[in-house]
Amino acid sequence: MRALPLILATAVAVPSIALSQGAVSAAGRTVWSGVYSAAQVERGTAAYAQHCASCHGDSLAGGDQAPPLAGGTFLANWNGQDAGALFTRIKTTMPLDNPGSLGGATVAAIEAMILARNGFPAGQADLPPDAAAQTAIAITPTRPAG
Ligand code: HEC
């Protein structure tokens, strides 16, 4: 019977580990989780061409003044932030020559297109068109393990 305390301890510990991992993965959505749809990217590509490409370039490489919206520098700037912060940045400060002019659905579509061009995968559902609904989506440049 000397093994019994150990078995009991294991029986108690395992479910609590499983529970905390469940909580982490529920709260741990990232840009790798398939957070936008392919159809949304199509809408975003058209809106980007109309509202953003003149400064940030057709390929998101940036321009004379405007920084790139794809690649290492962009991802380094946003590493550790969440998608809601990127949404708010675009919605409130861009296009630089007419900030605040775009509706939430248009901003979310452009954001989806930016995520796609940075190599993050598409999913089934649209990226939601408001910042609060996006705060649970972490921007992590490298795919999380597992
Ligand atoms: C008139 C030129 C212009 C237009 C049009 C424009 N931008 Fe910008 N954008 C800039 C400049 C300049 C900066 C850097 C200075 C600043 O942030 O104000 C910038 C910065 C940004 C940043 C921050 C980049 C980073 O690495 O943190 C994002 C994101 C962004 N723009 C997205 C957009 C999107 C999306 C659109 C279209 C809806 C857009 N911009 C339209 C000029 C522009």
Side-chain angles (χ1 to χ4, degrees):
M1 292 306 285
R2 292 200 44 207
L4 189 56
L6 192 65
I7 290 166
L8 278 176
T10 308
V12 170
V14 167
S16 69
I17 290 168
L19 268 181
S20 66
Q21 280 179 346
V24 167
S25 56
R29 280 181 89 210
T30 75
V31 285
W32 295 95
S33 308
V35 296
Y36 65 84
S37 72
Q40 191 176 27
V41 173
E42 273 184 42
R43 298 193 297 275
T45 301
Y48 178 90
Q50 194 180 343
H51 301 290
C52 319
S54 59
C55 293
H56 290 281
D58 289 336
S59 65
L60 288 69
D64 287 346
Q65 310 286 323
L69 300 179
T73 304
F74 176 75
L75 290 172
N77 287 345
W78 289 91
N79 184 14
Q81 302 198 56
D82 63 68
L86 179 57
F87 178 94
T88 299
R89 173 74 154 99
I90 296 168
K91 184 137 180 18
T92 60
T93 73
M94 296 291 144
L96 194 63
D97 49 2
N98 195 8
S101 59
L102 301 179
T106 301
V107 170
I110 293 170
E111 190 183 7
M113 176 261 197
I114 291 172
L115 293 177
R117 296 291 190 93
N118 279 280
F120 302 115
Q124 299 302 316
D126 282 4
L127 193 59
D130 72 282
Q134 292 189 23
T135 51
I137 303 167
I139 300 175
T140 52
T142 46
R143 187 189 290 270

